[in-house]
Amino acid sequence: MKYTLLLIVSLLLCCCEQVALVQDDAALLSDAQRQRLETFQTLLLEEQDVELHLVILERAAVDLDQEALELFEQKRIGGQTSGARGLLLVVDPISEQARIEVGYDLEGVFPDGFIASLEYDQMLPFFQSDRVGHGVEALTELLVARLQGASAETSAAAGKHLSGGAGARIATSGEVEQPQAAQPDRYLPQADPLATLDAYRQSLRDRSKDPELEIYTEETRAFFRQWLVTDAQQQNALRELDKVWSLADVRVKDAMAVIRYPVKERQASPYFLRQSEFGWQLDFATMTKTVGFNHRNQWHFRSREHPYMFAFADWRFDKNGFPHAR
């Protein structure tokens, strides 16, 4: 009887044991980054039924494909979901490689081609600038954006092997594509706020990463000089902007303008602009300070202490800064 009770207790402890969502063996993440990622991952599991794990290796992997697959199986990633809805990001900072392992039920959302492109376009610049932690956070946001834009079929029950093998590994060492030079005839401030935003949209199409574009305010240029922008981020920004382009609502007051979208478009954050002697310029510096996003990529105001609030007088905001129609 005694041994039976001990066995039951042991089994219960094993079942209740939580596998860490973040395993940073290389100690590359700051405490704040780890906390943000863990909060994000927990909400992703609770609200979107997707179990996302991150492993950063301390040593170079002999075979990253095999190691990622073994980690996926050992951690039974996806086992906490209604099906095989698990994702594993394994980062090998020594060899500058990354692998994303995808569960069966998410293969339709994350096919091999998309994963390979994401690993190369997104992680390579962060590896080479020694900012792996920031790269992991940005890549996580892009994965969630992909989830929002696609619907995966759910299975009735998880299979014995939760990983379907979808995913791709790319050795990301190599040369980073240099930012394209600004093209003044395409990226000039315009006499109309929406025309300036269209010039920015063109810069996304052209993958221009020049922080000195004249469509930016001086403060925005200073901000972008310190900010790493990747092709994957630009592709995502362009895709989201194209979706709501026809829904733009322009509000102007004196030398300030806001381009906003209907409240129901929760992932379409507003754009702030200032008028200068050259025309309307985008104020990303203020946008970055005041606008945040949750785990569903829904925007909210971190702070409403800014001069662009005039454009939202007909909306109300809850205690967390999320907008609602009156």
Side-chain angles (χ1 to χ4, degrees):
M1 181 67 175
K2 176 181 178 182
Y3 295 107
T4 302
L5 288 174
L6 287 174
L7 178 60
I8 292 173
V9 170
S10 297
L11 289 172
L12 287 173
L13 288 174
C14 289
C15 292
C16 294
E17 183 180 355
Q18 295 291 321
V19 178
L21 296 174
V22 176
Q23 180 181 326
D24 181 15
D25 295 337
L28 290 180
L29 299 175
S30 67
D31 290 341
Q33 286 175 325
R34 174 187 285 273
Q35 184 175 4
R36 283 195 299 268
L37 284 166
E38 288 177 341
T39 299
F40 197 91
Q41 290 164 293
T42 299
L43 290 171
L44 197 62
L45 178 59
E46 292 176 352
E47 299 189 12
Q48 297 197 49
D49 195 32
V50 173
E51 185 179 345
L52 170 64
H53 286 248
L54 164 67
V55 175
I56 302 178
L57 302 176
E58 182 180 15
R59 46 164 181 74
V62 176
D63 184 339
L64 190 58
D65 291 310
Q66 184 62 33
E67 183 146 355
L69 183 59
E70 290 176 358
L71 284 168
F72 200 100
E73 295 290 339
Q74 290 169 9
K75 293 176 178 289
R76 294 195 57 78
I77 297 174
Q80 299 184 61
T81 70
S82 61
R85 295 174 59 81
L87 287 170
L88 170 64
L89 169 59
V90 182
V91 178
D92 176 356
I94 304 300
S95 301
E96 296 189 349
Q97 300 181 84
R99 164 77 188 197
I100 300 175
E101 194 73 24
V102 182
Y104 280 123
D105 288 350
L106 294 177
E107 286 184 357
V109 181
F110 303 108
D112 284 356
F114 169 78
I115 292 297
S117 174
L118 191 64
E119 288 172 345
Y120 182 82
D121 291 338
Q122 183 62 28
M123 288 306 298
L124 171 58
F126 286 98
F127 274 131
Q128 297 199 332
S129 62
D130 197 25
R131 297 171 62 185
V132 176
H134 291 94
V136 168
E137 287 191 284
L139 188 147
T140 301
E141 292 175 2
L142 290 172
L143 288 173
V144 173
R146 178 76 176 191
L147 277 169
Q148 294 295 328
S151 58
E153 295 182 1
T154 56
S155 60
K160 181 176 180 181
H161 298 288
L162 297 176
S163 172
R169 178 193 55 79
I170 287 185
T172 53
S173 56
E175 294 298 322
V176 179
E177 181 181 355
Q178 294 301 311
Q180 296 185 23
Q183 302 180 41
D185 59 330
R186 285 190 167 189
Y187 314 135
L188 286 175
Q190 302 294 315
D192 175 77
L194 195 59
T196 291
L197 186 60
D198 198 26
Y200 170 67
R201 186 165 64 150
Q202 184 61 53
S203 77
L204 294 176
R205 291 193 193 100
D206 295 342
R207 302 291 184 266
S208 176
K209 299 174 179 61
D210 188 346
E212 306 299 333
L213 297 185
E214 292 186 39
I215 53 172
Y216 301 144
T217 62
E218 285 292 341
E219 296 81 2
T220 295
R221 294 176 204 176
F223 168 76
F224 277 140
R225 289 183 198 117
Q226 307 300 320
W227 193 257
L228 183 58
V229 179
T230 68
D231 281 355
Q233 289 169 315
Q234 289 182 311
Q235 289 167 5
N236 184 65
L238 177 60
R239 181 170 55 250
E240 294 302 317
L241 189 53
D242 284 344
K243 284 181 184 177
V244 296
W245 185 256
S246 64
L247 304 176
D249 176 13
V250 182
R251 305 288 178 106
V252 179
K253 180 181 179 182
D254 300 327
M256 292 176 292
V258 171
I259 300 175
R260 71 179 203 181
Y261 304 93
V263 171
K264 65 179 181 179
E265 300 295 336
R266 303 302 294 270
Q267 296 171 25
S269 60
Y271 287 86
F272 299 162
L273 299 93
R274 287 185 179 273
Q275 190 175 36
S276 71
E277 60 180 308
F278 308 107
W280 288 98
Q281 297 174 306
L282 285 157
D283 184 5
F284 278 102
T286 300
M287 289 164 57
T288 302
K289 293 176 183 176
T290 59
V291 179
F293 295 85
N294 68 2
H295 62 290
R296 292 183 175 180
N297 276 350
Q298 297 172 334
W299 75 272
H300 61 93
F301 278 135
R302 294 193 186 101
S303 169
R304 279 171 273 172
E305 299 297 323
H306 59 80
Y308 296 99
M309 282 304 298
F310 72 88
F312 305 96
D314 57 331
W315 290 1
R316 65 179 180 84
F317 292 84
D318 61 29
K319 64 180 182 180
N320 295 313
F322 288 94
H324 302 273
R326 288 190 184 276

